[in-house]
Amino acid sequence: MGRTQIPSTTRQGEHQMTTPTIILVGRIVKIKKDGDLYRAGTTKNGKNYIQFRILCSNRVKNPDGSWGYGVSCSRTCEAWNDLATHIQSSIKEGDEYIIIGNESDERFEDSSGVTHYTQKVNVREAGPSLRWGTAQLVNANQQAGPRQASTTPAMAPQAGSDPWGSGGFDGFGQPAGEPAF
């Protein structure tokens, strides 16, 4: 009654075939079985992992003019090491995320001996969608807090430093005039 991962690569002759990279854009949802947002932990070898679900669905216009959800799919996503730690401290239920990874199939038997198959995404990259909100990146190697845009004004060219010999910028990034040719 254990899970067996079906290899995502198969050897045919001398050529190695791998699963294609997929990109998912969807909302983080709770795991059906236990209602948790994610499962996370550390293996015996000290590797961090996280499993979470993403629900992808298109918005469609209904015949009556209202908007609703079209066909949807959900996938279990799995990440390891630092990426798992970063995802765990970032995701919230309902957040829209972009996931890049490779799909793999997993085979398992339930308690009655019936074999089931499921698909899982091995996450290589993950980040919030900025379509409906903003985000601030906190570099994991720095403890100073979120990275913010500089508040120092851009330096305007100094008078006399114009390579064209005249004009320059008016201090707002606009040309002060065309150079004489």
Side-chain angles (χ1 to χ4, degrees), residues 1-10 19 51 76 78-80 102-109 115-123:
M1 189 172 103
R3 291 184 178 263
T4 305
Q5 184 165 345
I6 300 169
S8 61
T9 59
T10 57
T19 58
Q51 284 186 339
T76 297
E78 184 175 85
W80 292 88
N102 299 88
E103 261 187 330
S104 65
D105 295 321
E106 197 171 77
R107 175 180 49 221
F108 66 96
E109 289 184 11
T115 301
H116 298 272
Y117 296 90
T118 185
Q119 291 180 322
K120 156 175 90 171
V121 176
N122 299 306
V123 179

Side-chain angles (χ1 to χ4, degrees), residues 83 90 132 168:
L83 180 57
S90 300
W132 308 112

Side-chain angles (χ1 to χ4, degrees), residues 40-108:
T42 304
T43 66
K44 291 181 225 176
N45 298 332
K47 292 187 175 194
N48 295 329
Y49 69 89
I50 187 170
Q51 284 186 339
F52 59 95
R53 300 233 359 124
I54 187 168
L55 176 67
C56 306
S57 181
N58 293 331
R59 297 274 291 163
V60 295
K61 197 165 193 177
N62 296 321
D64 66 358
S66 65
W67 286 91
Y69 291 103
V71 178
S72 63
C73 74
S74 66
R75 291 287 184 269
T76 297
C77 299
E78 184 175 85
W80 292 88
N81 301 319
D82 289 341
L83 180 57
T85 304
H86 300 159
I87 291 171
Q88 184 178 353
S89 63
S90 300
I91 64 172
K92 292 189 306 259
E93 184 179 9
D95 284 353
E96 189 169 65
Y97 263 72
I98 301 167
I99 304 295
I100 301 172
N102 299 88
E103 261 187 330
S104 65
D105 295 321
E106 197 171 77
R107 175 180 49 221
F108 66 96

